[in-house]
Amino acid sequence: MDLDGWSLIWFVVPGIIVPAALLVLAFRSPSWKQMTRWATQAQVTITTENEDMIRRRLARARRYRSLVSFPFWWVLAVPVITGPLPEWANDVIWIPLTGYVLGSILAAVSNTEKTGGLRVADLSPRLPSSYVPRRERLAPWLVLGVTAAALVSIKAFPLRFPQSLRTQIPLFVTAVVVAVLAEVALRMVAARPQVTDSPTRRLADNALRSTGATAAVASSIMLSLFTLNSAISALLGSGHRAWIGVPLMLLVTGMTYGAFWVIVTQQPWAPGRRRSLRAEPVSGPDPAAESVSA
């Protein structure tokens, strides 16, 4: 085990600090400020009837992401103890990143709500496009297509400091699997029965479905962008092509963080469709409503 300062940092930060922080976040409920920000994004009115459901499901999404990803951060600390990892795992940050997105997808499809007495449903069918626009659903597949073209070009355009194509395959295959899982999760979210007799809870449930579906698709976009960044680094990151590759990598990195921000802040997409998710009083003001609305 190396005991120099840099090695200790690489051991303490991903092996101790990050997992500990994730565990703390996993068991913290969202604050009132976070809930009101979500309600504004989702155009939902928080009432005494739906507040508990909103708080519980927003907290559950954070808990799933944190608990699934936190043990994988130890992989970053392994090289300090055992020495270098295999060549395909050199950019090992994608392993805990994959755990994070899998937790996000799992939170979207999990359903622990207690069933009520009366089954109700909207007259219009719930479709995947009601929760995530089509262009966002296609985005990870478009990015993966560009990534595949870049990987194929590695052999055709050798670099001054070439990288093996085999080192990119595990990450690419993982990104494809996550894209498939995200699409399956989106369809499961849309098809899941809705069991409640409360209009405000039903409307909040639709908004929470949109939030979970957005997180699942944004997770797929984030990992596909990370894969594209790795492919650009392999193809254009060294030699005389670096002047093209470095700006592209910075651009893709910014887009990756953008997708990550959507997941962390739990922002639902489909703004043109969210108006139907807003809780409107049926006959006069709702005396149980809190002073929070979009």
Side-chain angles (χ1 to χ4, degrees), residues 186-209:
L186 178 58
R187 295 176 181 274
M188 291 177 64
V189 167
R192 189 167 61 217
Q194 193 174 50
V195 185
T196 178
D197 54 0
S198 167
T200 56
R201 288 177 67 87
R202 185 167 69 252
L203 295 170
D205 175 70
N206 277 329
L208 289 165
R209 288 173 190 244

Side-chain angles (χ1 to χ4, degrees), residues 88 90-91 94 147 150-151 154 163-164 167-169 171-172 223-237 249 252-253 256:
W88 61 267
N90 281 341
D91 199 5
W94 68 268
T147 303
L151 293 177
I154 291 177
Q163 296 187 32
S164 173
T167 63
Q168 304 291 321
I169 297 302
L171 175 56
F172 181 79
L223 191 60
S224 63
L225 286 170
F226 189 89
T227 308
L228 176 60
N229 206 10
S230 180
I232 293 174
S233 175
L235 179 63
L236 303 172
M249 285 188 288
V252 174
T253 298
T256 304

Side-chain angles (χ1 to χ4, degrees), residues 38 42-44 131 202-212 268 277:
W38 173 86
Q43 298 187 13
V44 168
Y131 300 104
R202 185 167 69 252
L203 295 170
D205 175 70
N206 277 329
L208 289 165
R209 288 173 190 244
S210 181
T211 302
L277 304 179

